[in-house]
């Protein structure tokens, strides 16, 4: 069937067969359909959705667009292969850089395929591209060796692993087709299943900084991913999170890496980031069979963070994948820095009561830290740091955040956007609620 017939069926709300979905995904991967046709397929899917059978077929076709890793050489240790992912959120991308080394320090083996920035959320792969020498698309053998020897490795989709996601991702990024349950399910799980872990822990964001703004939509996404994972033989835990405000204090690529390094080395740990990192790691430790109880696993993870175990694994992962051996000690020297770094103050003094976190993410894109065309090169140096948290006082000494910009006009535009995106109350406003809102456990 020609690709336009497959697109027409989706446009006309006719369910696609497994073979039709596989044919379209194969053609997208090989370049036999154009970016325009991929965009049309994505928009038809965004508007009309997919049944769970179609979503599972999409996921498996995307996984099978490349190879699936074979870990049989690990013998019984294959049970410790557990991966994590996030469905995306403003500030959330740094969490993978923290959880993968922490879980590795706890004894989990983490073969992590992450994503680039997507629409208004930054992504792990762009962040890691800011580290000189770090290979985000290494040969599979190097990836597997790093997982075996260090305990974890973070890379992106490659020409061998989930290449279909690589293709679709670039088009989704700039076509307003991201916020779709089947497309997110296919994108995340194709990568997860290509690296062949035995179990998955996924944080599913809800709120203004997440692709699923409402709790109900986040639950739908969590249930879709849990069902498709189970059909593919992987047990999963979904933690539905509250991303109604910027998570942590940095938004951007190089600046996000600095926040991650500061967290791992104990220089600064945002409390909500800490809670989420420990919660995700604890679930991975339990799924790996290392501990039986989540609470006990959480204590093990906290100890590994405090004794420097996670920081050491991060440093080893960076070196193994081609980055500097002293990156942890000299991160700021290695990362690109923006020439203009200035504070943004609120228009009135008071307390931060809330924000439109998506607008904050779009501010990063406007600064040059995200893409507006699939082939855009992005500015890895720009971003936001020291973002105030809900409940914090803001006045002429306590800024909303620092903007890292390429020039003065971009700083001015970003400052204006940020001021318009936040709500300030005159009386102390309550802090954000717990980061984890719900937990969904699904055994395969
Ligand atoms: N992360 C991904 O890898 N894909 C998505 O679609 C969303 C978040």
């Amino acid at each position: 069937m020609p690709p336009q017939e497959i697109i027409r069926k989706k446009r006309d709300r006719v369910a696609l067969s497994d073979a039709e979905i596989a044919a379209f995904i194969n053609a997208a991967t090989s370049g036999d359909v154009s970016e325009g046709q991929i965009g049309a397929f994505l928009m038809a899917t965004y508007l009309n959705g997919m049944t769970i059978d179609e979503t599972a077929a999409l996921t498996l076709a995307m996984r099978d667009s490349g190879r699936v890793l074979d870990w049989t050489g690990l013998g019984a240790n294959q049970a410790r292969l557990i991966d994590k992912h996030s469905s995306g959120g403003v500030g959330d991308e740094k969490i993978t850089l923290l959880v993968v080394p922490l879980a590795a320090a706890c004894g989990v083996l983490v073969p992590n395929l992450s994503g680039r920035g997507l629409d208004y959320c930054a992504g792990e792969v762009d962040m890691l591209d800011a580290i000189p020498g770090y290979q985000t698309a290494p040969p599979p053998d190097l990836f597997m060796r790093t997982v075996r020897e260090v305990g974890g490795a973070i890379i992106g989709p490659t020409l061998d692993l989930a290449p279909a996601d690589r293709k679709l991702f670039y088009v989704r990024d700039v076509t307003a087709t991201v916020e779709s349950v089947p497309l997110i399910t296919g994108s995340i799980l194709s990568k997860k299943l290509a690296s062949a872990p035995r179990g998955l822990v996924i944080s599913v964001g809800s709120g203004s900084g997440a692709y699923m703004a409402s709790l109900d939509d986040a639950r739908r996404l969590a249930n879709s991913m849990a069902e498709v994972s189970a059909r593919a033989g992987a047990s999963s835990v979904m933690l539905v999170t509250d991303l109604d405000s910027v998570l942590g204090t940095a938004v951007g690529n190089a600046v996000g890496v600095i926040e991650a390094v500061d967290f791992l080395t104990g220089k600064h740990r945002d409390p909500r980031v800490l809670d989420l990192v420990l919660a995700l790691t604890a679930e991975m430790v339990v799924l790996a069979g290392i501990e039986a109880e989540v609470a006990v696993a959480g204590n093990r993870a906290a100890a590994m963070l405090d004794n420097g175990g996670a920081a050491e694994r991060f440093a080893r992962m960076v070196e193994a994948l081609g980055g500097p051996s002293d990156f942890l000690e000299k991160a700021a020297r290695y990362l690109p820095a923006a020439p203009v770094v200035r504070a943004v103050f609120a228009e009135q003094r008071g307390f931060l009561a809330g924000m439109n976190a998506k607008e904050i993410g779009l501010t990063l894109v406007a600064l040059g830290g995200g893409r507006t065309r699939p082939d855009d090169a992005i500015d890895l140096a720009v971003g936001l740091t020291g973002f105030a948290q809900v409940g914090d006082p803001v006045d002429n000494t306590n800024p909303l955040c620092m903007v890292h910009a390429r020039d003065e006009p971009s700083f001015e535009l970003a400052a204006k956007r940020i001021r318009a995106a936040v709500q300030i109350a005159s009386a102390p406003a309550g802090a954000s609620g717990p980061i984890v809102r719900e937990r969904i456990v699904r055994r395969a």
Side-chain angles (χ1 to χ4, degrees):
M1 185 182 280
Q4 59 269 39
E5 283 305 307
I6 298 176
I7 297 167
R8 197 180 337 267
K9 278 181 88 172
K10 187 52 26 210
R11 182 199 70 184
D12 295 343
R13 297 167 197 247
V14 180
L16 297 173
S17 68
D18 293 8
E20 286 161 345
I21 291 174
F24 193 87
I25 293 301
N26 289 341
T29 311
S30 62
D32 288 341
V33 293
S34 67
E35 259 177 22
Q37 288 170 308
I38 296 175
F41 176 82
L42 294 171
M43 187 55 85
T45 304
Y46 172 88
L47 293 172
N48 295 331
M50 279 187 168
T51 64
I52 192 70
D53 289 340
E54 289 177 288
T55 307
L58 176 74
T59 304
L60 297 184
M62 290 174 72
R63 176 197 67 183
D64 295 337
S65 63
R67 65 185 259 207
V68 174
L69 295 181
D70 176 1
W71 296 99
T72 44
L74 283 178
N77 281 339
Q78 287 177 90
R80 294 197 283 127
L81 283 163
I82 306 294
D83 198 4
K84 74 80 61 178
H85 208 88
S86 157
S87 68
V90 178
D92 183 284
E93 56 286 341
K94 73 200 62 131
I95 302 296
T96 304
L97 274 59
L98 307 174
V99 170
V100 171
L102 181 55
C106 294
V108 181
L109 293 168
V110 198
N112 184 269
L113 251 66
S114 280
R116 293 195 174 276
L118 188 59
D119 205 336
Y120 48 89
C121 298
E124 296 88 339
V125 178
D126 291 326
M127 291 172 80
L128 293 168
D129 271 346
I131 302 177
Y134 191 107
Q135 297 182 62
T136 50
D141 288 353
L142 175 58
F143 177 52
M144 293 178 82
R145 189 164 69 242
T146 308
V147 172
R148 277 196 307 269
E149 292 175 0
V150 179
I154 308 169
I155 64 166
T158 69
L159 295 177
D160 295 305
L161 295 171
D165 186 56
R166 208 177 144 107
K167 271 274 164 66
L168 267 53
F169 210 82
Y170 278 113
V171 182
R172 289 172 64 218
D173 187 18
V174 293
T175 52
T177 51
V178 172
E179 304 97 328
S180 150
V181 167
L183 295 178
I184 298 178
T185 302
S187 168
I188 292 182
L189 292 185
S190 61
K191 293 191 285 282
K192 300 300 92 179
L193 299 174
S195 69
R198 296 298 174 268
L200 295 171
V201 178
I202 301 183
S203 64
V204 185
S206 63
S208 69
Y211 301 128
M212 299 287 115
S214 75
L215 186 55
D216 274 353
D217 283 345
R219 276 192 199 116
R220 276 198 309 120
L221 176 59
N223 284 316
S224 165
M225 291 195 284
E227 173 64 23
V228 175
S229 304
R231 290 188 189 194
S235 295
S236 65
V237 178
M238 305 284 154
L239 297 183
V240 179
T241 56
D242 169 10
L243 298 183
D244 210 27
S245 56
V246 167
L247 181 59
T249 54
V251 178
N253 294 296
V255 294
V257 176
I258 296 279
E259 186 182 3
V261 168
D262 286 350
F263 183 98
L264 290 169
T265 53
K267 189 167 164 199
H268 173 75
R269 289 185 184 149
D270 174 81
R272 298 186 93 226
V273 170
L274 179 62
D275 286 352
L276 182 56
V277 165
L278 293 180
L280 290 165
T281 309
E283 299 288 357
M284 293 171 78
V285 169
V286 171
L287 270 184
I290 295 166
E291 296 285 1
E293 301 289 333
V294 176
V296 179
N299 292 339
R300 178 192 273 256
M304 283 299 167
L305 192 58
D306 289 341
N307 72 10
E312 188 246 354
R313 297 292 169 139
F314 182 81
R316 283 171 60 197
M317 173 186 78
V318 169
E319 188 179 1
L321 289 171
S325 56
D326 56 353
F327 181 73
L328 212 57
E329 298 84 57
K330 299 186 183 148
R333 272 209 241 158
Y334 282 116
L335 292 167
V340 176
V341 182
R342 280 179 48 198
V344 178
F345 292 97
E347 269 157 358
Q348 71 201 74
R349 59 182 299 153
F351 298 84
L352 186 60
M355 66 185 78
N356 179 343
K358 176 177 173 179
E359 247 317 285
I360 307 292
L362 286 168
T363 304
L364 175 69
V365 178
L367 281 167
R371 298 175 180 81
T372 53
R373 288 177 51 88
D375 48 2
D376 273 354
I378 61 171
D379 188 339
L380 296 170
V382 298
L384 315 172
T385 55
F387 217 99
Q389 301 294 300
V390 173
D392 282 354
V394 287
D395 50 35
N396 52 13
T397 52
N398 293 298
L400 290 167
C401 68
M402 304 295 294
V403 170
H404 300 236
R406 196 44 55 194
D407 50 37
E408 284 294 330
S410 352
F411 165 80
E412 291 299 342
L413 283 176
K416 198 167 161 203
R417 248 179 131 143
I418 291 164
R419 283 192 204 102
V422 298
Q423 294 110 44
I424 309 295
S426 49
S432 298
I435 181 76
V436 178
R437 301 177 81 170
E438 289 182 10
R439 174 172 181 261
I440 297 169
V441 180
R442 186 69 181 272
R443 297 282 164 197

